[in-house]
Amino acid sequence: MKLVVQEFLSLDGVSQGPGAPDEDTSGGFERGGWFVPYLDEEFERIAGSWLGEADALLFGRRTYQNFARDWPRMTDHPFAATMNGLPKYVASDSLGEAGWKPVTILSGDVPARVAEVKRQPGREMQVHGSARLARTLLAAGLVDVLRLVIAPVVVGQGRRLFPDRGAPVGLRPVSGRTTPGGLSVQVFESAGVPEFGTYGGGE
């Protein structure tokens, strides 16, 4: 399976708490819900087409617990049957049991465990949110496709997907579009570790 990471970002790179004020207040974050004003039907269509390519879902513990709380109750949502029915994997050393089934807990050497799952037949194993897990997988060179949905807002605080002194990651642009609501949808493929050098153009 391909490993695909899907992240909502602000213009200043914040990935924390996009969906609601109380979604993730860790670290004193007070500006959750910044992504919601820009949602529109075009993005819902794009997100639905992406989800249609998934044969498995992969989460960090916090995101898994949030999704496990909410999705089983969202029976009228058009994505509910797929989200609730897909095989799920959660990376955690502290989660003793997981009730949002079918689910497998990946503990210990998470990159190695994820690499094992990737070798299974299938189309995409998708990471939704779970930014800290996404950073780990990017640094390990396991991510095949990165889908970034960037809202036209500067949040000004919060956890970023790409922090200072993070691992370098090379990416190759695949596609890009802007929805009527202002979301910039950018898709990249992995291009290995980037090379750093100086600009060789003319004056």
Side-chain angles (χ1 to χ4, degrees):
M1 283 188 286
K2 286 186 176 180
L3 181 59
V4 179
V5 169
Q6 300 179 179
E7 294 285 343
F8 298 161
L9 298 182
S10 68
L11 283 176
D12 52 340
V14 174
S15 59
Q16 184 172 1
D22 59 351
E23 179 181 355
D24 180 359
T25 58
S26 61
F29 184 60
E30 300 174 336
R31 300 176 183 176
W34 47 266
F35 188 83
V36 176
Y38 307 100
L39 290 172
D40 58 26
E41 291 183 359
E42 174 67 9
F43 177 66
E44 290 287 332
R45 187 191 66 77
I46 293 169
S49 69
W50 287 347
L51 187 60
E53 296 298 315
D55 282 330
L57 302 173
L58 172 62
F59 303 98
R61 178 188 58 80
R62 184 191 300 274
T63 303
Y64 172 82
Q65 289 177 321
N66 288 342
F67 278 39
R69 177 194 63 208
D70 296 336
W71 277 104
R73 299 183 297 184
M74 297 168 64
T75 54
D76 293 334
H77 195 286
F79 300 167
T82 302
M83 292 293 292
N84 290 320
L86 280 171
K88 303 161 190 68
Y89 297 87
V90 54
S92 176
D93 285 325
S94 61
L95 194 63
E97 59 181 53
W100 190 32
K101 302 182 183 299
V103 61
T104 301
I105 298 174
L106 305 179
S107 58
D109 186 342
V110 169
R113 298 290 308 278
V114 170
E116 290 176 4
V117 178
K118 281 189 64 178
R119 287 192 285 269
Q120 297 179 12
R123 296 171 300 168
E124 295 183 359
M125 176 167 55
Q126 296 181 357
V127 178
H128 291 208
S130 306
R132 282 175 285 205
L133 172 62
R135 288 200 299 267
T136 297
L137 299 175
L138 282 164
L142 291 171
V143 176
D144 299 296
V145 177
L146 180 62
R147 295 171 178 152
L148 301 180
V149 187
I150 304 165
V153 60
V154 175
V155 177
Q157 68 165 198
R159 192 166 51 251
R160 292 184 294 148
L161 176 61
F162 304 113
D164 291 341
R165 301 186 181 280
V169 178
L171 299 169
R172 181 183 303 109
V174 174
S175 65
R177 70 183 86 177
T178 301
T179 71
L183 295 172
S184 177
V185 182
Q186 304 296 323
V187 180
F188 302 88
E189 291 179 344
S190 174
V193 178
E195 296 182 2
F196 299 96
T198 57
Y199 175 60
E203 295 182 0

